[in-house]
C-alpha cells in the first residue's frame, strides 16, 4: 500500500487564497529533558517555498537537520527564537514555559506575521492563528520552526558538554536515557537541571533522607 504524500503547504495555501503571505510557523523542543531550557522558534518562509526533504525535526537525522538549518537561515524571511530557562520551567511548569518560549520566539521576529500556524498548542495572540495537531508533520512552516528550535537547543547541549563532559550531554541532549540517569546518580544535578522533574526530585529527596539519617546518628 502506497502511503499518501502529505502536502506540507496545505495550510499555507489556504491562507494564500486570502492574500495572507506572511505566515509564521511556530514549534518548540525540549519538553522531556531533565536539564536546560525549552526552546521555541518562529519561522516565516517565502510564499510557496519548497525544500525537498524538510520534515518534522524528530524524523530527520542530525546531519540533515544541520543542513536544513543553514538553508533556512539563508532563505527564511524572518526567524525568531525563544528560550525559557530550567528555573522558569520549575516555576511555571513545562506547558506554560513552552507557551512562553513560543511567544518570545514570535516577539523576536524581525517581520510581523499576518497569521501564525502553531504546533498543537493554543496561544493568546493579537494575530490570527491556527493550532494544528502534529503540525510539525503537516505544515512546512512549522517543520522549519521545529528544525531551527532543535538545532539551536542541541547546540546549547554541546556547549554544556564542553563544560561538564562527565555528563555526556553531547550524547543524550539532556533526555532521561539510561546513560544520563547513571551520570545524574553519580555526579548529582547541576544548577540548570529541572528540579521539579521526577528523576531529579527523587535524587534530591534521596540525598536529603541520607543526610537526615546521618544527622540522627550523630545526635544519638
Amino acid at each position: 500500500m502506497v502511503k499518501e504524500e502529505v502536502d506540507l503547504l496545505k495550510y499555507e495555501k489556504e491562507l494564500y487564497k486570502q492574500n495572507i503571505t506572511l505566515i509564521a510557523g511556530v514549534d518548540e523542543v525540549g519538553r522531556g529533558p531533565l536539564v536546560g531550557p525549552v526552546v521555541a522558534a518562529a519561522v516565516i518562509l517565502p510564499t510557496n517555498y519548497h525544500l525537498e526533504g524538510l520534515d518534522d525535526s524528530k524524523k530527520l537525522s542530525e546531519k540533515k537537520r544541520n543542513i536544513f538549518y543553514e538553508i533556512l537561515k539563508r532563505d527564511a524571511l524572518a526567524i525568531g527564537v525563544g528560550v525559557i530557562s530550567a528555573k522558569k520551567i520549575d516555576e511555571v511548569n513545562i506547558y506554560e514555559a513552552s507557551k512562553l518560549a513560543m511567544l518570545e520566539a514570535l516577539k523576536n521576529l524581525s517581520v510581523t506575521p499576518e497569521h501564525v500556524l502553531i504546533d498543537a498548542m493554543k496561544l493568546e495572540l493579537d494575530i490570527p492563528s491556527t493550532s494544528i495537531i502534529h503540525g510539525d508533520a503537516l505544515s512546512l512552516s512549522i517543520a522549519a520552526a521545529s528544525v531551527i528550535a532543535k538545532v539551536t537547543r542541541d547546540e546549547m547541549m554541546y556547549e554544556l558538554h564542553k563544560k561538564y563532559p562527565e555528563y555526556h550531554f553531547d550524547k543524550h541532549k539532556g533526555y532521561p536515557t539510561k546513560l544520563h540517569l547513571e551520570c545524574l546518580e553519580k555526579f548529582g544535578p547541576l544548577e540548570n537541571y529541572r528540579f521539579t522533574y521526577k528523576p531529579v526530585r527523587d535524587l534530591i529527596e534521596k540525598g536529603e533522607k541520607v543526610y537526615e539519617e546521618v544527622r540522627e546518628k550523630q545526635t544519638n
Side-chain angles (χ1 to χ4, degrees):
M1 186 175 172
V2 180
K3 189 180 176 183
E4 189 179 343
E5 193 171 326
V6 176
D7 180 3
L8 288 177
L9 283 177
K10 176 190 166 186
Y11 289 93
E12 286 85 346
K13 284 173 181 174
E14 288 298 316
L15 293 166
Y16 295 157
K17 288 175 189 174
Q18 302 167 51
N19 291 319
I20 296 168
T21 57
L22 295 175
I23 302 160
V26 183
D27 198 10
E28 50 70 33
V29 298
R31 286 205 203 187
L34 307 177
V35 63
V38 61
V39 177
V43 178
I44 301 177
L45 297 173
T47 306
N48 288 314
Y49 183 74
H50 179 74
L51 181 53
E52 188 67 43
L54 179 60
D55 204 337
D56 169 16
S57 64
K58 295 187 288 294
K59 298 177 183 176
L60 301 171
S61 67
E62 185 170 9
K63 184 181 178 184
K64 279 191 175 178
R65 281 197 302 266
N66 289 336
I67 291 168
F68 287 144
Y69 176 86
E70 294 301 330
I71 295 170
L72 290 166
K73 292 279 275 189
R74 181 194 70 204
D75 291 352
L77 300 180
I79 293 173
V81 172
V83 179
I84 300 298
S85 70
K87 186 173 183 290
K88 190 67 177 176
I89 292 168
D90 283 341
E91 285 173 14
V92 300
N93 76 49
I94 187 59
Y95 182 78
E96 292 301 323
S98 297
K99 289 203 287 189
L100 289 173
M102 288 179 168
L103 290 170
E104 189 176 289
L106 284 165
K107 189 176 75 175
N108 288 333
L109 285 169
S110 58
V111 176
T112 303
E114 300 166 297
H115 196 100
V116 181
L117 299 177
I118 311 161
D119 183 39
M121 302 183 84
K122 291 188 184 299
L123 298 176
E124 290 182 18
L125 299 168
D126 296 330
I127 305 163
S129 65
T130 305
S131 177
I132 307 167
I133 304 297
H134 302 307
D136 46 9
L138 298 173
S139 159
L140 196 71
S141 301
I142 297 176
S146 78
V147 167
I148 296 292
K150 175 67 175 162
V151 174
T152 300
R153 192 181 188 284
D154 281 357
E155 279 302 312
M156 292 175 177
M157 289 296 102
Y158 285 126
E159 287 303 310
L160 199 61
H161 172 71
K162 288 177 188 174
K163 285 178 74 175
Y164 306 102
E166 66 274 20
Y167 285 81
H168 299 289
F169 292 120
D170 61 327
K171 291 187 172 68
H172 53 70
K173 311 297 192 298
Y175 285 89
T177 63
K178 185 173 181 286
L179 171 63
H180 187 190
L181 293 174
E182 286 170 357
C183 294
L184 181 60
E185 180 82 31
K186 187 175 180 182
F187 302 109
L190 301 164
E191 63 177 359
N192 50 0
Y193 267 81
R194 302 174 185 179
F195 294 99
T196 53
Y197 275 43
K198 193 175 186 305
V200 186
R201 191 177 70 237
D202 287 353
L203 190 65
I204 292 166
E205 287 173 358
K206 181 180 167 186
E208 287 172 348
K209 190 179 176 185
V210 170
Y211 175 68
E212 284 301 319
E213 286 171 357
V214 170
R215 275 190 65 191
E216 270 186 40
K217 284 176 184 174
Q218 287 173 342
T219 52
N220 289 337

